[in-house]
Amino acid sequence: DTAVSQTPKYLVTQMGNDKSIKCEQNLGHDTMYWYKQDSKKFLKIMFSYNNKELIINETVPNRFSPKSPDKAHLNLHINSLELGDSAVYFCASRPGLAGPSTGELFFGEGSRLTVL
Amino acid sequence: QKEVEQDPGPLSVPEGAIVSLNCTYSNSAFQYFMWYRQYSRKGPELLMYTYSSGNKEDGRFTAQVDKSSKYISLFIRDSQPSDSATYLCAMSLRPHGGYQKVTFGTGTKLQVIP
């Protein structure tokens, strides 16, 4: 059973197109994230949702729009794709605000986006 | 200047060597320090975590935090080819709570040669 699953794993598309990446976690966590990892392996946080509420919104172009229909799902829609959007996008989840926690982030396997 | 700096490597060592991986950081408010391991084409996985200053040992791995110098280290003893991966340091202001933003270093790529 995959704890954090993302689809699709690979996405190749043309500049200007719109695409979506989906994420689901079955860990019962309250908090989910989107991270972007560039070609130099730098992981940068983009968004975080806690129980469907947006709590972290880093400086990201408004072409990127996250949506959380419920606490187990977090999707990322990207409009008007640009060359610089090429990266690996990781979804992650973490236990919520209450209770003890190691603070561990559980990552999916990533969605590799290539914009041509 | 990034909040967390990490030598990207690559670092290539022979099997059995002791490996030292390091990060420096600028935000003195960080209290919770983690090391993640990322195999090729996979997501990062938590390897170790420490809270505030001090050492923590887990098998062949030892994590050290020196808050006065804003410097953290991960030591790997008797390194194995299966340790070949990218190692990312990470830190946050507090250990738990969904509002915590985890800030990552750029990762060090390690290759252990049999």
Side-chain angles (χ1 to χ4, degrees):
Chain A
D1 271 354
T2 306
V4 182
S5 58
Q6 298 179 228
T7 54
K9 282 192 174 179
Y10 299 93
L11 195 49
V12 181
T13 188
Q14 300 287 333
M15 267 176 50
N17 283 350
D18 304 339
K19 289 294 176 188
S20 291
I21 308 170
K22 297 187 175 188
C23 179
E24 176 181 4
Q25 55 96 2
N26 61 8
L27 298 165
H29 290 165
D30 291 330
T31 310
M32 295 184 73
Y33 302 77
W34 280 112
Y35 277 85
K36 178 181 180 181
Q37 188 172 49
D38 62 24
S39 57
K40 295 183 179 176
K41 295 290 192 181
F42 180 54
L43 260 175
K44 185 170 166 52
I45 191 168
M46 300 174 70
F47 303 102
S48 176
Y49 274 74
N50 186 67
N51 232 337
K52 303 194 293 176
E53 179 190 349
L54 181 66
I55 55 170
I56 294 175
N57 184 353
E58 292 293 286
T59 308
V60 174
N62 57 16
R63 297 182 295 103
F64 291 79
S65 49
K67 272 198 175 63
S68 182
D70 55 61
K71 73 174 196 176
H73 295 84
L74 180 61
N75 304 323
L76 182 65
H77 187 76
I78 316 170
N79 288 326
S80 303
L81 279 156
E82 300 177 358
L83 293 175
D85 297 333
S86 295
V88 183
Y89 292 85
F90 283 99
C91 176
S93 72
R94 199 180 193 193
L97 299 174
S101 165
T102 63
E104 179 178 358
L105 284 166
F106 291 79
F107 284 87
E109 295 209 331
S111 296
R112 187 174 295 268
L113 172 66
T114 303
V115 182
L116 303 174
Chain B
Q1 185 193 2
K2 289 193 167 71
E3 269 189 297
V4 180
E5 299 277 0
Q6 188 176 2
D7 187 337
L11 183 61
S12 192
V13 301
E15 184 174 353
I18 296 174
V19 176
S20 171
L21 304 167
N22 311 297
C23 284
T24 58
Y25 61 95
S26 56
N27 187 349
S28 57
F30 283 137
Q31 292 191 61
Y32 191 67
F33 304 91
M34 296 157 275
W35 285 94
Y36 280 79
R37 179 174 60 196
Q38 185 178 17
Y39 291 114
S40 183
R41 305 260 166 180
K42 297 290 186 183
E45 297 173 296
L46 183 68
L47 191 60
M48 294 191 72
Y49 66 93
T50 52
Y51 185 57
S52 197
S53 282
N55 293 359
K56 186 172 183 178
E57 192 173 318
D58 184 3
R60 295 184 295 111
F61 298 89
T62 300
Q64 281 186 358
V65 174
D66 181 351
K67 289 189 71 183
S68 61
S69 303
K70 299 198 195 74
Y71 189 84
I72 70 171
S73 301
L74 177 71
F75 297 95
I76 307 174
R77 289 184 300 281
D78 187 25
S79 55
Q80 302 295 308
S82 58
D83 295 329
S84 298
T86 296
Y87 289 80
L88 301 131
C89 64
M91 43 201 81
S92 64
L93 300 179
R94 289 190 299 278
H96 46 79
Y99 289 83
Q100 290 311 307
K101 186 176 79 168
V102 177
T103 302
F104 283 85
T106 48
T108 300
K109 187 170 183 177
L110 171 67
Q111 186 177 22
V112 181
I113 312 291

